[in-house]
Amino acid sequence: MSSSDDTLPHPQAECSSPPPNQTQIQLPLLIHQLSFNQDNTCFSAVTDRGFFVFNTEPYRPLICRDFESGLSLLSMLFRFEVFVLVGSSYSPSPSAAATNTKALLWDDHASRCIGELSFRSPIRSIRLRRDTIVVILLHKIYLYNFSDLKLLHQLETTSNPKGLCEVSQISGPMLLVCPGLQKGCVRVENYGSKKCKFINAHSSNITCLALTHDGRVLATASSKGTLIRCFNTLDGTLIQEVRRGADQAEIYCLAFSPTVQWLAVSSDKGTVHVFSLKADSVVLGMIGQLVQALGFPTSPYCCRSVLPKYFSSEWSVAQFRLPEGSRCIVAFGQQKNTIMIIGMDGSFRRCQFDPVNGGQMTQMEEHNFLKQEEHFPSWNEDS
């Protein structure tokens, strides 16, 4: 592993960063990242000029910020006006305040940077909890205390160019999942029990992860993109396996519904799938305990043959078709049986699915969040 992943000696409590220009960002824009916040009440779009934040229900613009040096990543913490920003690798000079090796803690209300974490290699992604900042590099993951940026823990992973990592969001000790040190392996770090577990989820590289808010259920996809597997993080047992399709695909996003009754999946095939899950997070723990009590092996490949009723592959209940190659992420809406789809082309869609009859979803609304003349007609006066 390269030493370039090592963190620099000290985080800075304050940092000098140019304030954003609050005038309208000029089109055309290149979107670098899309993400929902932890409860799906907002989504953000990071561009080569700055970022947008939108409310999801109802759909409406909230924030528009222009950073001339460019951004590559943004992480929100629920609806707080504090963001973690990562600069663009295309910053005009190596000394620019915002680069992709620095994580800036940005107080948007005060329009200033209040903290900074610096590294020797590019930041791949950021995850936030109310008490923790998680920074993901190519081979390492660093955990910092949110209040004082003190380093709490660091983990090693296999090569992780996508910055795969998820953390539980309920109060109490954190549970973290990330790629392990072997191909197809997921590391489960339980900071409550102080135990680390490795799940052999797939035979090929892990390309997508999702975790329920309580941290008890994990969904995984591999580079093959045909099967999605759900695991009980408490004991590593396979809960359920669902099939997206027969052809190889790149999985863009996995998302649980708040009740863990549904799982949404998007891929480069252009179809968004919704799968029915057989149990909520409470029942899943009971299933895992039953499997162990009966003496069955906990390898996912063994469990699948022992309990075929629960572990056989299943097809999606509902689908929504986009043009093939459309890059998008998905999340469940606050309205019952709805999902939200946001695309790298600037599209926002809200769709409803029939939980009983399934089939094609119904599109309820569609917007283009890059149309600034529609969303930010008088931003200077309103901001």
Side-chain angles (χ1 to χ4, degrees):
M1 183 184 62
S2 171
S3 61
S4 63
D5 273 351
D6 292 341
T7 184
L8 293 180
H10 58 278
Q12 299 179 16
E14 297 286 342
C15 60
S16 59
S17 180
N21 182 350
Q22 295 188 14
T23 60
Q24 296 180 30
I25 300 174
Q26 298 300 311
L27 294 176
L29 294 173
L30 175 63
I31 298 177
H32 293 304
Q33 181 212 28
L34 296 172
S35 61
F36 289 96
N37 68 344
Q38 289 83 355
D39 58 7
N40 302 334
T41 59
C42 298
F43 76 88
S44 63
V46 175
T47 74
D48 52 349
R49 292 291 305 277
F51 68 89
F52 301 103
V53 177
F54 282 78
N55 194 72
T56 56
E57 297 190 32
Y59 171 87
R60 61 185 175 90
L62 295 177
I63 296 174
C64 173
R65 298 290 182 262
D66 187 351
F67 282 77
E68 293 183 0
S69 58
L71 297 174
S72 60
L73 298 172
L74 176 147
S75 190
M76 302 176 63
L77 181 62
F78 293 94
R79 298 180 69 89
F80 292 107
E81 291 186 275
V82 174
F83 308 102
V84 176
L85 308 177
V86 177
S88 170
S89 58
Y90 305 104
S91 294
S93 70
S95 60
T99 72
N100 65 350
T101 59
K102 291 183 179 181
L104 307 179
L105 191 59
W106 182 263
D107 182 339
D108 196 68
H109 180 73
S111 191
R112 69 186 184 97
C113 181
I114 57 176
E116 178 182 305
L117 295 166
S118 296
F119 304 86
R120 293 194 179 97
S121 65
I123 297 169
R124 304 292 173 159
S125 68
I126 301 282
R127 296 292 181 266
L128 298 182
R129 277 170 48 102
R130 296 177 189 272
D131 55 359
T132 312
I133 299 174
V134 183
V135 181
I136 300 94
L137 307 184
L138 184 62
H139 291 105
K140 279 191 176 181
I141 296 177
Y142 294 95
L143 285 74
Y144 296 90
N145 189 44
F146 210 122
S147 61
D148 58 10
L149 301 186
K150 178 182 178 182
L151 181 64
L152 302 175
H153 193 211
Q154 55 183 295
L155 308 170
E156 294 186 7
T157 69
T158 187
S159 181
N160 187 13
K162 290 188 173 183
L164 301 179
C165 179
E166 299 297 336
V167 295
S168 60
Q169 293 296 336
I170 61 173
S171 60
M174 178 173 64
L175 187 138
L176 177 149
V177 296
C178 64
L181 293 172
Q182 304 297 325
K183 180 173 67 174
C185 179
V186 178
R187 177 173 183 163
V188 180
E189 195 76 23
N190 191 322
Y191 289 90
S193 65
K194 295 181 170 55
K195 291 182 179 179
C196 176
K197 180 177 290 292
F198 292 91
I199 299 175
N200 293 316
H202 298 270
S203 58
S204 51
N205 289 324
I206 303 294
T207 57
C208 202
L209 299 172
L211 191 67
T212 55
H213 272 209
D214 61 10
R216 295 182 66 179
V217 190
L218 163 71
T220 66
S222 75
S223 56
K224 291 182 179 179
T226 54
L227 298 174
I228 292 92
R229 294 187 172 121
C230 294
F231 296 89
N232 183 341
T233 60
L234 300 181
D235 55 25
T237 54
L238 181 68
I239 299 302
Q240 190 173 350
E241 179 181 273
V242 297
R243 179 173 291 278
R244 179 210 55 80
D247 298 331
Q248 183 169 333
E250 180 183 357
I251 302 297
Y252 293 144
C253 181
L254 301 173
F256 286 103
S257 67
T259 59
V260 200
Q261 185 180 1
W262 309 102
L263 177 71
V265 180
S266 66
S267 75
D268 63 352
K269 292 298 183 182
T271 301
V272 175
H273 295 269
V274 172
F275 296 90
S276 174
L277 299 183
K278 297 302 182 185
D280 61 22
S281 57
V282 175
V283 176
L284 293 178
M286 297 170 59
I287 293 174
Q289 294 171 12
L290 176 62
V291 170
Q292 287 190 323
L294 293 175
F296 293 134
T298 57
S299 165
Y301 309 107
C302 296
C303 286
R304 194 165 22 143
S305 61
V306 171
L307 298 175
K309 182 177 179 180
Y310 282 97
F311 299 103
S312 59
S313 296
E314 300 171 25
W315 297 88
S316 60
V317 171
Q319 308 82 33
F320 186 81
R321 304 196 186 284
L322 300 165
E324 188 166 344
S326 299
R327 195 173 189 92
C328 65
I329 63 172
V330 295
F332 284 87
Q334 298 173 44
Q335 300 178 48
K336 192 173 183 180
N337 304 326
T338 62
I339 65 167
M340 299 172 289
I341 307 170
I342 55 175
M344 295 293 280
D345 60 354
S347 61
F348 172 93
R349 293 179 173 91
R350 193 187 319 278
C351 303
Q352 188 170 43
F353 62 93
D354 187 328
V356 177
N357 299 315
Q360 294 300 309
M361 299 185 218
T362 301
Q363 181 170 298
M364 303 169 66
E365 59 180 295
E366 180 179 5
H367 306 275
N368 185 335
F369 57 80
L370 294 182
K371 286 188 176 180
Q372 296 160 250
E373 67 277 7
E374 173 186 337
H375 296 124
F376 304 103
S378 55
W379 185 257
N380 286 331
E381 289 80 10
D382 295 339
S383 56

